[in-house]
């Protein structure tokens, strides 16, 4: 398998961290792909920010340069990878995806936060993680599940695999989107392709990657400061389904977990009821 991670020329600390992580996991064949810098782009009349446009172009370029006869692992340079990832990549799971007509397999994502989809992820986690009390690390998985990305995937392009079939399909779709704007960030564009059936994809569960702690804080995509709550809570949700360490997660979200996000008492009550009902549903429908 070929692989790359997307990294700005000026992001030396992220480059060093990624190189060290890949070396430790035995993924030295994953090479650095120099990201397109938003500061070097000519002004464009698009609905997305210059950082989002540069990200879109960087991913598109990485796919276009890949060998179309071999699956491609694509990582962003803030990806924290599970210790289980190398074994999954060697397991033949990707060949199964290709045989089933899959174009793209996400190693993690921000999921659609409906009860149905969160329960699917939660039950997968319970099936595939080692038993509690066994002393085994979270990455000692008993297997991996393929969940339908068409309905589960919301956004996120931190880590994914494009099959040879996908490498024959996706670059042309992206070039078409670029010709018309693009009108959405890269990951939301992937979501549109999935939902309209032009791209076939799955989400691997448990997640085999997750954004590094606090990576949103130094993002070059131009996220507004008011998105901090979404970044912290959404990032924590993604990490909860990660086949890797969770140490520090509760402390990380503590300032936001019970924050008074609304003054509307009925909205607060609704949130509390949803949380309790989710626990009851998860308990009552736990895998046997």
């Amino acid at each position: 398998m070929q692989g790359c991670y997307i990294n700005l020329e000026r992001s030396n600390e992220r480059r060093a961290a990624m190189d060290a992580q890949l070396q430790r996991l035995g993924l030295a064949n994953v090479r650095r792909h120099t990201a397109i810098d938003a500061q070097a782009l000519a002004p464009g009349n698009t609905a997305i920010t210059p950082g989002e446009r540069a990200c879109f172009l960087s991913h598109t370029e990485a796919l276009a340069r890949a060998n179309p006869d071999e699956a491609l692992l694509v990582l962003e340079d803030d990806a924290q990878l599970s210790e289980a990832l190398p074994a999954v990549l060697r397991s033949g799971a990707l060949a199964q995806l290709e045989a089933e007509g899959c174009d793209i397999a996400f190693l993690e994502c921000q999921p659609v936060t409906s009860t149905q989809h969160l329960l699917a992820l939660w039950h997968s986690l319970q099936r595939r993680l080692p038993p509690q009390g066994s002393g085994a690390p979270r990455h000692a998985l008993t297997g991996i599940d393929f969940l339908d990305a068409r309905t589960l995937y919301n956004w996120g392009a931190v880590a994914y695999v494009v099959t040879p079939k996908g490498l024959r399909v996706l670059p042309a779709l992206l070039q078409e989107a670029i010709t018309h704007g693009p009108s959405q960030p890269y990951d939301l564009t992937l979501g549109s392709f999935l939902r309209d059936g032009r791209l076939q994809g799955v989400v691997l569960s448990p997640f085999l990657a997750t954004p590094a702690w606090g990576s949103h804080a130094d993002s070059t995509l131009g996220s507004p400061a008011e998105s901090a709550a979404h970044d912290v809570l959404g990032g924590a949700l993604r990490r909860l389904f990660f086949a890797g360490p969770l140490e520090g997660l509760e402390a990380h979200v503590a300032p936001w977990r019970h924050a008074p996000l609304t003054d509307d008492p009925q909205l607060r009550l609704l949130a509390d009821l949803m949380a309790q009902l989710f626990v009851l549903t998860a308990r009552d429908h736990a895998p046997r």
Side-chain angles (χ1 to χ4, degrees):
M1 166 182 284
Q2 58 190 323
C4 68
Y5 70 90
I6 297 171
N7 170 253
L8 283 167
E9 194 66 50
R10 52 192 164 91
S11 295
N12 294 321
E13 289 186 8
R14 287 192 175 198
R15 177 179 183 177
M18 281 299 297
D19 285 343
Q21 178 177 208
L22 292 168
Q23 184 69 33
R24 177 174 55 80
L25 293 176
L27 298 174
N29 62 317
V30 178
R31 307 298 185 186
R32 178 178 177 270
H33 176 84
T34 303
I36 295 171
D37 198 326
Q39 296 177 2
L41 284 178
N45 185 23
T46 67
I48 61 178
T49 69
E52 290 168 339
R53 183 166 162 243
C55 177
F56 197 116
L57 295 173
S58 296
H59 280 266
T60 301
E61 183 180 75
L63 269 61
R65 291 184 177 181
N67 175 1
D69 298 324
E70 190 178 353
L72 173 69
L73 171 65
V74 181
L75 305 172
E76 293 185 339
D77 63 1
D78 63 338
Q80 180 180 343
L81 305 177
S82 170
E83 300 281 344
L85 177 58
V88 172
L89 294 179
R90 294 191 302 265
S91 68
L94 300 183
Q96 178 184 342
L97 292 176
E98 174 78 0
E100 294 177 359
C102 181
D103 298 312
I104 190 167
F106 296 95
L107 305 188
E108 75 93 47
C109 70
Q110 183 68 48
V112 172
T113 53
S114 71
T115 297
Q116 172 191 354
H117 295 104
L118 292 181
L119 276 177
L121 286 167
W122 181 255
H123 290 158
S124 173
L125 207 65
Q126 305 312 301
R127 282 193 304 270
R128 300 304 187 181
L129 290 184
Q132 291 191 29
S134 68
R138 280 174 65 90
H139 65 260
L141 302 179
T142 63
I144 201 83
D145 293 321
F146 300 153
L147 305 182
D148 185 1
R150 183 175 55 87
T151 57
L152 176 66
Y153 177 87
N154 207 343
W155 69 77
V158 167
Y160 58 94
V161 173
V162 184
T163 67
K165 176 177 177 288
L167 288 173
R168 295 189 294 271
V169 172
L170 184 53
L173 293 176
L174 295 172
Q175 286 297 335
E176 178 186 336
I178 290 170
T179 300
H180 294 91
S183 60
Q184 297 182 103
Y186 178 71
D187 51 354
L188 296 184
T189 300
L190 294 179
S192 295
F193 293 157
L194 290 164
R195 286 186 291 277
D196 67 18
R198 290 194 287 173
L199 198 66
Q200 306 301 314
V202 298
V203 177
L204 271 57
S205 177
F207 292 170
L208 298 173
T210 191
W213 288 119
S215 59
H216 62 274
D218 61 350
S219 171
T220 61
L221 297 185
S223 299
E226 58 266 26
S227 70
H230 281 287
D231 289 334
V232 172
L233 295 173
L237 180 72
R238 291 158 84 166
R239 184 171 285 261
L240 189 62
F241 299 111
F242 175 52
L246 298 184
E247 286 80 1
L249 181 59
E250 292 201 27
H252 182 69
V253 300
W256 297 105
R257 188 175 179 184
H258 301 296
L261 299 177
T262 176
D263 294 328
D264 185 335
Q266 292 186 12
L267 184 56
R268 282 188 176 182
L269 178 59
L270 175 61
D272 290 341
L273 293 174
M274 290 173 64
Q276 294 297 86
L277 285 169
F278 181 85
V279 171
L280 291 175
T281 305
R283 185 193 67 188
D284 294 344
H285 296 85
R288 301 299 180 187

